[in-house]
Amino acid sequence: KRMCVFFVSLYNCMKKGTRAVLQFYPETAEQAEMITAAALKAGFTGGMVVDYPHSTRARKHFLVLMCGTTVHLPPGLMDSTEEDQRIGIRNQERLREKRRKGKQRAVKGKQWVIDKKEFMRKQGKDVAGDSKYTARKRKTQW
């Protein structure tokens, strides 16, 4: 009964489209189900997200409550091996995207340097004067 009153009062405080995330540590699975059922009964949408589900000490339970909207729940964090595999996949995708785009211009041009110097002068900072050597590459030193 106390849980239902808590969730109803929380629901009344929230606007449409807002979210609330509550972290708790249930002793049993029945407790987690009871809390989730009380929240859903109060009118919330959402559910449970569990970080590190295979660990006993690092496991964290989050109750994600949404008011008036339904959005996909974020995935919980995984163990380091599962996370490393996921990160490896992301890195491969990122490399593929870079190859597809081709080489991007990494060096900023002369006009950018001149504009930057002018901006710094307007701020009252001491800036070296413009010359024919402005924004030229320096020779590589051995």
Side-chain angles (χ1 to χ4, degrees):
K1 185 178 177 181
R2 281 185 280 168
M3 295 299 291
C4 290
V5 171
F6 169 73
F7 285 118
V8 167
S9 64
L10 181 64
Y11 188 82
N12 291 334
C13 293
M14 294 175 66
K15 290 183 180 179
K16 207 171 203 178
T18 57
R19 295 182 207 173
V21 180
L22 307 173
Q23 181 179 357
F24 65 101
Y25 298 95
E27 293 178 2
T28 62
E30 292 84 30
Q31 259 186 353
E33 290 174 18
M34 180 186 69
I35 292 170
T36 307
L40 295 176
K41 190 175 180 182
F44 286 107
T45 57
M48 292 280 298
V49 176
V50 181
D51 284 353
Y52 307 111
H54 304 297
S55 172
T56 54
R57 299 193 79 188
R59 183 182 306 151
K60 293 183 173 84
H61 294 267
F62 296 98
L63 183 62
V64 181
L65 304 173
M66 290 172 272
C67 194
T69 59
T70 17
V71 182
H72 293 288
L73 292 177
L77 297 176
M78 304 292 175
D79 290 337
S80 60
T81 55
E82 295 175 32
E83 197 170 316
D84 291 342
Q85 291 172 354
R86 185 180 279 179
I87 289 172
I89 292 169
R90 287 184 192 153
N91 286 341
Q92 289 174 356
E93 290 172 1
R94 196 175 299 137
L95 289 173
R96 264 190 245 126
E97 287 293 323
K98 281 186 179 179
R99 284 189 209 124
R100 270 190 228 147
K101 287 181 182 176
K103 291 193 174 186
Q104 293 181 347
R105 192 171 183 177
V107 181
K108 296 176 178 170
K110 183 174 182 175
Q111 188 59 44
W112 181 87
V113 173
I114 292 170
D115 292 340
K116 178 75 173 178
K117 282 184 167 186
E118 188 62 37
F119 179 75
M120 299 292 268
R121 284 189 193 105
K122 285 181 184 176
Q123 287 185 332
K125 297 191 179 175
D126 189 28
V127 181
D130 295 335
S131 70
K132 66 178 185 177
Y133 302 108
T134 299
R136 284 204 187 170
K137 288 184 85 173
R138 296 173 185 256
K139 289 185 178 180
T140 55
Q141 301 271 330
W142 291 99

